[in-house]
């Protein structure tokens, strides 16, 4: 059914686009079962990890549904939910657009957190900052810890919609954050700059200064965008995030 996938765009994005086109065109109709993971690996010439990530994106977009012990099936056509992930993380330009959205959203989250955070909230913000340093020192990329820090700020707002939106944008940006941190790891000045920016955000929230907290996040996102621009094109490769196993989907 499919031809092998190759090229400079992230493989998971290309596979997700191929499968989406099959569904949108009707060649894979409502109720049809997707080829098994093994079959897709063979036909598309990519790894199981790439297939899992691509199918996970289709599931998040409401295009497919995993069924226990049976496989993954095409869902009925309906109004599709917002799905930035399928296209946003594959190219630098799309990631930059998401950074702009995060700058506005997370800047406001930090502003609200500065006026609403409890002592327990502040303690939860400090934990991922320490964890980032530990992860980097141990040779990790600190991506999960980075996401946890930004998420802890959103959670401190007490706004459930804000929490969900920041979490979603963070998930969409996971690949971009990994690229950024891989690029930063090559330069000690980048590593220290990110550390200073994170602590500036925390200090502003702790001080209760809403304007300063908003500015600190916006400054951090602006610098993150600059670091992304500086990243070598070679960093824009597939991630190893796991999605769903088509053969044993829960």
């Amino acid at each position: 059914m499919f031809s092998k996938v190759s090229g400079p765009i992230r493989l998971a994005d290309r596979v997700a686009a191929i499968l989406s086109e099959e569904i949108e065109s009707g060649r894979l109709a409502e109720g049809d079962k997707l080829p098994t993971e093994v079959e897709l690996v063979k036909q598309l010439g990519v790894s199981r990890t790439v297939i899992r990530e691509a199918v996970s994106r289709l599931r998040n977009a409401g295009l497919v549904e995993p069924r226990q012990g049976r496989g993954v099936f095409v869902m009925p056509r309906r109004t599709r939910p917002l799905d930035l992930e399928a296209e946003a993380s594959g190219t630098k330009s799309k990631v930059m657009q998401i950074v702009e959205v995060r700058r506005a959203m997370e800047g406001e989250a930090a502003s609200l957190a500065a006026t609403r955070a409890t002592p327990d909230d502040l303690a939860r913000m400090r934990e991922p900052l320490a964890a980032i340093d530990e992860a980097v020192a141990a040779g990790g990329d600190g991506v999960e810890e980075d996401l946890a820090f930004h998420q802890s700020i959103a959670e401190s707002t007490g706004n459930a919609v804000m929490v969900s939106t920041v979490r979603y944008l963070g998930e969409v940006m996971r690949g971009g954050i990994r690229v950024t941190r891989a690029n930063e790891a090559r330069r000690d000045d980048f590593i220290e700059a990110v550390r200073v920016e994170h602590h500036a955000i925390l200090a502003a929230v702790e001080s209760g200064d809403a304007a300063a907290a908003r500015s600190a996040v916006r400054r951090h996102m602006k610098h993150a965008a600059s670091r992304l621009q500086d990243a070598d094109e070679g960093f824009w490769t597939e991630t190893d995030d796991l999605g769903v196993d088509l053969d044993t989907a829960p």
Side-chain angles (χ1 to χ4, degrees):
M1 180 183 294
F2 304 112
S3 300
K4 292 191 186 310
V5 174
S6 62
I9 300 176
R10 294 179 70 247
L11 295 181
D13 296 323
R14 291 174 63 86
V15 171
I18 288 169
L19 294 177
S20 295
E21 173 59 24
E22 292 296 310
I23 293 171
E24 297 293 351
S25 68
R27 289 187 291 272
L28 280 173
E30 174 186 339
D32 283 353
K33 180 181 177 181
L34 264 63
T36 67
E37 185 176 281
V38 172
E39 290 169 340
L40 287 173
V41 165
K42 182 177 180 180
Q43 291 182 39
L44 295 169
V46 297
S47 69
R48 291 170 66 96
T49 295
V50 170
I51 297 298
R52 291 172 183 175
E53 183 179 350
V55 172
S56 178
R57 292 182 183 184
L58 298 185
R59 180 184 58 184
N60 292 339
L63 291 173
V64 300
E65 176 187 48
R67 297 176 185 171
Q68 178 67 43
R70 298 175 60 193
V72 177
F73 293 81
V74 178
M75 293 285 285
R77 292 185 63 84
R78 59 184 175 83
T79 301
R80 305 300 185 193
L82 178 65
D83 180 25
L84 301 174
E85 186 176 8
E87 61 176 88
S89 61
T91 65
K92 183 184 294 186
S93 63
K94 292 297 184 181
V95 170
M96 297 296 287
Q97 290 173 18
I98 299 299
V99 170
E100 290 179 352
V101 176
R102 286 188 69 195
R103 184 186 305 166
M105 180 64 66
E106 297 195 30
E108 187 59 28
S111 174
L112 292 173
T115 62
R116 298 177 181 178
T118 66
D120 286 344
D121 290 331
L122 295 174
R124 280 190 290 271
M125 289 181 210
R126 297 186 194 103
E127 290 176 1
L129 286 189
I132 290 173
D133 292 341
E134 293 174 3
V136 172
D141 58 18
V143 170
E144 299 304 322
E145 294 81 5
D146 192 311
L147 288 170
F149 172 62
H150 289 278
Q151 188 63 31
S152 69
I153 295 173
E155 291 169 354
S156 299
T157 68
N159 183 321
V161 175
M162 181 77 76
V163 171
S164 296
T165 304
V166 169
R167 179 182 296 113
Y168 177 62
L169 291 175
E171 288 299 315
V172 169
M173 275 292 295
R174 185 185 299 274
I177 293 172
R178 181 164 286 118
V179 169
T180 307
R181 296 198 70 86
N183 186 52
E184 291 160 358
R186 299 182 308 160
R187 293 180 49 177
D188 291 340
D189 58 330
F190 276 7
I191 295 174
E192 182 59 22
V194 175
R195 186 176 184 280
V196 169
E197 290 164 20
H198 280 156
H199 282 274
I201 295 169
L202 176 60
V205 173
E206 287 179 323
S207 71
D209 189 331
R214 183 187 294 110
S215 295
V217 169
R218 292 176 67 86
R219 189 178 309 112
H220 172 53
M221 291 297 173
K222 179 180 179 180
H223 292 167
S226 295
R227 289 187 287 267
L228 275 170
Q229 289 283 21
D230 291 340
D232 291 341
E233 291 300 326
F235 280 108
W236 294 90
T237 56
E238 64 181 89
T239 66
D240 57 359
D241 296 342
L242 297 182
V244 60
D245 187 326
L246 279 75
D247 300 319
T248 59

